[in-house]
Amino acid sequence: MPTLIDIPFEQRHTCWFCTEPCSEQFDYYRMAHTPHPSLTVPACKECLGFAKKNPLTSIWDCRDAVKDQLMHVYQKHLAIGINWTEQELAESEFECKIFGGFKKSAWMMYQIAQSRINAKGWPLSLDGVLLDGENHDSQTGFEFDDVRFTSLPKAIEHYSNTLSLDAHFLKQLVTLLGKARFGHAIKIARLNIGITREHQQRIIDELIEDEDQI
């Protein structure tokens, strides 16, 4: 049977995947290639369902898959933080019954979604022994605009879907400009929504020329 991981006192009844309150547990059964023993982690009902469908090759890969699923579910909530600031929402003139409710709850919904996506859980250990692979977070992931993505491609996918951008074009821009200029790549893609592939290529060629001159 899987062994329950060590749970810090302050994390009792807390989902390891998203740090929301929980009362469930997820049993991870190791395969021959799994770099850790079978183990059990506390999980909320939503993360438990995602984890069961995506065990993958390790508990850390499983966590990445759960995060990807959460990001898909809460894409609209995360979009609030892309399209608004807390001050802009507070000063908006949404007063009707439908939009008045949005004005009151939107930023809170964004913060909850952001918190669940960014949650890293706590270092995994069994009987006081830290598991190999706890440096997983330092090797993967990408953070932008206060949201931590499981990978750079996942960030590109998220912003492409949320802002109706051409994913191929945005990927080309990020490849050319680099992760440090991810925001600039998004800006260029947003300014050129709906253009042809030929026009996209001209922009890429011009950027390459500009980069060569730096």
Side-chain angles (χ1 to χ4, degrees):
M1 288 292 293
T3 303
L4 182 64
I5 62 168
D6 299 335
I7 302 176
F9 181 81
E10 65 276 11
Q11 301 290 353
R12 292 176 302 163
H13 313 298
T14 299
C15 176
W16 180 74
F17 295 99
C18 74
T19 68
E20 283 287 292
C22 73
S23 59
E24 308 283 345
Q25 293 184 336
F26 171 58
D27 293 328
Y28 189 100
Y29 292 89
R30 75 179 302 275
M31 302 292 286
H33 54 261
T34 306
H36 56 73
S38 296
L39 50 80
T40 298
V41 297
C44 67
K45 187 174 181 180
E46 187 171 33
C47 289
L48 175 62
F50 294 146
K52 285 182 175 180
K53 295 177 181 178
N54 299 278
L56 301 179
T57 61
S58 74
I59 189 63
W60 299 290
D61 287 337
C62 178
R63 176 173 60 185
D64 286 350
V66 169
K67 297 291 186 174
D68 287 346
Q69 292 293 311
L70 288 174
M71 185 162 291
H72 176 72
V73 170
Y74 294 103
Q75 180 176 313
K76 291 182 179 180
H77 293 170
L78 292 170
I80 293 169
I82 297 174
N83 296 314
W84 300 83
T85 66
E86 185 175 14
Q87 183 176 352
E88 286 173 340
L89 278 172
E91 295 175 352
S92 67
E93 298 180 356
F94 295 148
E95 301 298 341
C96 67
K97 188 174 182 180
I98 296 176
F99 291 106
F102 173 79
K103 175 180 178 179
K104 292 179 181 179
S105 63
W107 194 254
M108 180 184 69
M109 292 189 299
Y110 163 69
Q111 288 182 312
I112 292 173
Q114 179 196 46
S115 176
R116 295 187 71 190
I117 297 297
N118 289 349
K120 295 181 180 180
W122 56 90
L124 290 180
S125 62
L126 294 172
D127 297 325
V129 179
L130 192 68
L131 298 182
D132 289 340
E134 270 304 331
N135 61 347
H136 178 79
D137 277 325
S138 64
Q139 297 174 351
T140 63
F142 173 70
E143 186 168 326
F144 177 74
D145 202 18
D146 296 326
V147 175
R148 184 181 180 281
F149 300 86
T150 56
S151 65
L152 179 59
K154 196 63 187 178
I156 292 172
E157 178 187 337
H158 172 71
Y159 281 94
S160 298
N161 292 336
T162 301
L163 300 175
S164 300
L165 304 177
D166 185 308
H168 176 74
F169 184 43
L170 179 57
K171 187 181 297 183
Q172 286 183 300
L173 291 168
V174 173
T175 299
L176 178 60
L177 298 174
K179 291 192 290 187
R181 299 171 70 188
F182 188 80
H184 186 52
I186 290 177
K187 182 178 180 180
I188 294 174
R190 293 187 75 175
L191 289 172
N192 293 280
I193 290 177
I195 64 174
T196 64
R197 282 295 170 91
E198 289 75 14
H199 192 173
Q200 290 177 0
Q201 190 57 52
R202 286 201 297 272
I203 292 173
I204 294 296
D205 291 341
E206 289 173 4
L207 286 173
I208 291 174
E209 192 174 318
D210 290 343
E211 292 294 309
D212 288 341
Q213 295 175 1
I214 295 178

